[in-house]
Short mmCIF file of all heavy atoms in Angstrom, two decimals:
data_model
loop_
_atom_site.label_atom_id
_atom_site.label_comp_id
_atom_site.label_asym_id
_atom_site.label_seq_id
_atom_site.Cartn_x
_atom_site.Cartn_y
_atom_site.Cartn_z
N GLU A 55 16.84 127.44 12.28
CA GLU A 55 16.76 128.88 12.45
C GLU A 55 17.53 129.35 13.69
O GLU A 55 17.73 128.58 14.64
CB GLU A 55 15.30 129.32 12.58
CG GLU A 55 14.44 129.00 11.37
CD GLU A 55 14.75 129.92 10.20
OE1 GLU A 55 15.14 131.07 10.44
OE2 GLU A 55 14.60 129.46 9.05
N ALA A 56 17.93 130.63 13.66
CA ALA A 56 18.66 131.21 14.79
C ALA A 56 17.86 131.11 16.09
O ALA A 56 18.42 130.93 17.17
CB ALA A 56 19.03 132.66 14.50
N LEU A 57 16.52 131.23 15.98
CA LEU A 57 15.69 131.13 17.18
C LEU A 57 15.86 129.78 17.86
O LEU A 57 16.00 129.68 19.08
CB LEU A 57 14.21 131.33 16.83
CG LEU A 57 13.80 132.69 16.28
CD1 LEU A 57 13.50 132.58 14.80
CD2 LEU A 57 12.58 133.21 17.01
N VAL A 58 15.84 128.72 17.05
CA VAL A 58 15.98 127.37 17.60
C VAL A 58 17.41 127.14 18.09
O VAL A 58 17.64 126.53 19.13
CB VAL A 58 15.58 126.32 16.55
CG1 VAL A 58 15.77 124.91 17.09
CG2 VAL A 58 14.14 126.53 16.11
N LEU A 59 18.39 127.63 17.32
CA LEU A 59 19.79 127.49 17.72
C LEU A 59 20.05 128.18 19.06
O LEU A 59 20.81 127.67 19.89
CB LEU A 59 20.70 128.07 16.64
CG LEU A 59 20.82 127.24 15.36
CD1 LEU A 59 21.51 128.06 14.27
CD2 LEU A 59 21.58 125.95 15.63
N ALA A 60 19.41 129.31 19.28
CA ALA A 60 19.59 130.03 20.54
C ALA A 60 19.10 129.19 21.71
O ALA A 60 19.73 129.12 22.77
CB ALA A 60 18.85 131.37 20.50
N ILE A 61 17.96 128.50 21.52
CA ILE A 61 17.44 127.63 22.57
C ILE A 61 18.40 126.47 22.82
O ILE A 61 18.73 126.13 23.96
CB ILE A 61 16.06 127.08 22.20
CG1 ILE A 61 15.04 128.21 22.08
CG2 ILE A 61 15.57 126.07 23.23
CD1 ILE A 61 13.68 127.77 21.62
N LEU A 62 18.88 125.86 21.74
CA LEU A 62 19.77 124.71 21.85
C LEU A 62 21.08 125.07 22.55
O LEU A 62 21.55 124.36 23.45
CB LEU A 62 20.07 124.13 20.47
CG LEU A 62 18.91 123.40 19.78
CD1 LEU A 62 19.31 123.03 18.35
CD2 LEU A 62 18.52 122.16 20.56
N ILE A 63 21.66 126.19 22.14
CA ILE A 63 22.92 126.63 22.74
C ILE A 63 22.71 126.98 24.21
O ILE A 63 23.50 126.60 25.09
CB ILE A 63 23.51 127.83 21.97
CG1 ILE A 63 23.89 127.40 20.55
CG2 ILE A 63 24.74 128.39 22.70
CD1 ILE A 63 24.28 128.56 19.65
N GLY A 64 21.63 127.71 24.50
CA GLY A 64 21.34 128.09 25.88
C GLY A 64 21.10 126.88 26.77
O GLY A 64 21.60 126.80 27.89
N THR A 65 20.31 125.91 26.25
CA THR A 65 20.02 124.71 27.04
C THR A 65 21.27 123.89 27.28
O THR A 65 21.48 123.35 28.38
CB THR A 65 18.96 123.86 26.32
OG1 THR A 65 17.78 124.64 26.11
CG2 THR A 65 18.60 122.63 27.13
N THR A 66 22.12 123.78 26.25
CA THR A 66 23.37 123.03 26.40
C THR A 66 24.26 123.67 27.46
O THR A 66 24.82 122.99 28.34
CB THR A 66 24.13 122.98 25.07
OG1 THR A 66 23.31 122.34 24.08
CG2 THR A 66 25.43 122.20 25.21
N LEU A 67 24.37 124.99 27.40
CA LEU A 67 25.18 125.71 28.38
C LEU A 67 24.62 125.53 29.79
O LEU A 67 25.37 125.29 30.75
CB LEU A 67 25.24 127.20 28.02
CG LEU A 67 26.08 128.09 28.94
CD1 LEU A 67 27.52 127.61 29.00
CD2 LEU A 67 26.03 129.55 28.45
N ARG A 68 23.29 125.60 29.90
CA ARG A 68 22.65 125.44 31.21
C ARG A 68 22.85 124.03 31.77
O ARG A 68 22.95 123.83 32.98
CB ARG A 68 21.15 125.75 31.07
CG ARG A 68 20.33 125.49 32.33
CD ARG A 68 20.74 126.44 33.45
NE ARG A 68 19.93 126.22 34.64
CZ ARG A 68 20.15 125.29 35.56
NH1 ARG A 68 21.20 124.48 35.43
NH2 ARG A 68 19.35 125.15 36.60
N SER A 69 22.91 123.03 30.89
CA SER A 69 23.11 121.66 31.34
C SER A 69 24.53 121.42 31.84
O SER A 69 24.76 120.56 32.68
CB SER A 69 22.80 120.69 30.18
OG SER A 69 21.46 120.81 29.76
N LEU A 70 25.48 122.23 31.32
CA LEU A 70 26.87 122.08 31.72
C LEU A 70 27.26 122.99 32.88
O LEU A 70 28.24 122.73 33.59
CB LEU A 70 27.79 122.38 30.53
CG LEU A 70 27.63 121.47 29.30
CD1 LEU A 70 28.47 121.99 28.15
CD2 LEU A 70 28.01 120.04 29.66
N TRP A 71 26.47 124.05 33.07
CA TRP A 71 26.84 125.07 34.07
C TRP A 71 25.57 125.72 34.60
O TRP A 71 24.68 126.09 33.83
CB TRP A 71 27.76 126.10 33.41
CG TRP A 71 27.95 127.37 34.18
CD1 TRP A 71 28.60 127.52 35.37
CD2 TRP A 71 27.50 128.69 33.80
NE1 TRP A 71 28.58 128.85 35.75
CE2 TRP A 71 27.93 129.59 34.81
CE3 TRP A 71 26.80 129.20 32.71
CZ2 TRP A 71 27.66 130.96 34.76
CZ3 TRP A 71 26.53 130.55 32.65
CH2 TRP A 71 26.97 131.42 33.68
N THR A 72 25.49 125.87 35.92
CA THR A 72 24.35 126.53 36.53
C THR A 72 24.70 127.97 36.86
O THR A 72 25.56 128.22 37.72
CB THR A 72 23.93 125.81 37.83
OG1 THR A 72 23.60 124.44 37.53
CG2 THR A 72 22.73 126.49 38.46
N PRO A 73 24.09 128.95 36.17
CA PRO A 73 24.40 130.36 36.45
C PRO A 73 24.08 130.72 37.90
O PRO A 73 23.04 130.33 38.43
CB PRO A 73 23.48 131.13 35.48
CG PRO A 73 23.16 130.13 34.41
CD PRO A 73 23.12 128.80 35.08
N SER A 74 24.97 131.46 38.52
CA SER A 74 24.76 131.89 39.90
C SER A 74 23.75 133.02 39.94
O SER A 74 23.25 133.49 38.91
CB SER A 74 26.09 132.34 40.51
OG SER A 74 26.56 133.50 39.83
N ALA A 75 23.46 133.49 41.16
CA ALA A 75 22.47 134.56 41.36
C ALA A 75 22.86 135.83 40.60
O ALA A 75 22.00 136.62 40.23
CB ALA A 75 22.32 134.85 42.85
N ARG A 76 24.15 136.01 40.38
CA ARG A 76 24.62 137.21 39.67
C ARG A 76 24.05 137.30 38.25
O ARG A 76 23.82 138.40 37.73
CB ARG A 76 26.15 137.18 39.62
CG ARG A 76 26.80 138.29 38.81
CD ARG A 76 28.31 138.26 38.99
NE ARG A 76 28.96 139.27 38.18
CZ ARG A 76 29.54 139.03 37.01
NH1 ARG A 76 29.54 137.79 36.53
NH2 ARG A 76 30.12 139.99 36.32
N TRP A 77 23.82 136.16 37.64
CA TRP A 77 23.36 136.13 36.25
C TRP A 77 21.84 136.15 36.12
O TRP A 77 21.32 136.48 35.05
CB TRP A 77 23.90 134.88 35.55
CG TRP A 77 25.38 134.70 35.63
CD1 TRP A 77 26.08 134.03 36.60
CD2 TRP A 77 26.36 135.23 34.72
NE1 TRP A 77 27.43 134.10 36.34
CE2 TRP A 77 27.63 134.82 35.19
CE3 TRP A 77 26.28 135.99 33.56
CZ2 TRP A 77 28.81 135.15 34.54
CZ3 TRP A 77 27.45 136.31 32.89
CH2 TRP A 77 28.70 135.90 33.38
N GLN A 78 21.14 135.78 37.18
CA GLN A 78 19.72 135.53 37.08
C GLN A 78 18.85 136.73 36.71
O GLN A 78 17.92 136.59 35.90
CB GLN A 78 19.20 134.89 38.37
CG GLN A 78 19.77 133.51 38.67
CD GLN A 78 19.55 132.53 37.53
OE1 GLN A 78 18.51 132.54 36.88
NE2 GLN A 78 20.54 131.68 37.29
N PRO A 79 19.08 137.94 37.27
CA PRO A 79 18.20 139.06 36.91
C PRO A 79 18.18 139.34 35.41
O PRO A 79 17.10 139.54 34.83
CB PRO A 79 18.80 140.24 37.69
CG PRO A 79 19.48 139.60 38.86
CD PRO A 79 20.04 138.31 38.34
N GLY A 80 19.35 139.34 34.78
CA GLY A 80 19.40 139.62 33.34
C GLY A 80 18.78 138.52 32.52
O GLY A 80 18.11 138.79 31.49
N ILE A 81 18.95 137.26 32.94
CA ILE A 81 18.34 136.14 32.21
C ILE A 81 16.82 136.22 32.33
O ILE A 81 16.09 136.07 31.34
CB ILE A 81 18.86 134.80 32.76
CG1 ILE A 81 20.35 134.64 32.46
CG2 ILE A 81 18.08 133.63 32.17
CD1 ILE A 81 20.98 133.40 33.06
#
Side-chain angles (χ1 to χ4, degrees):
E55 299 287 330
L57 296 107
V58 178
L59 287 168
I61 296 176
L62 289 173
I63 295 171
T65 302
T66 301
L67 181 58
R68 174 65 178 83
S69 299
L70 298 173
W71 165 68
T72 301
S74 65
R76 175 172 177 260
W77 306 91
Q78 295 305 323
I81 294 175

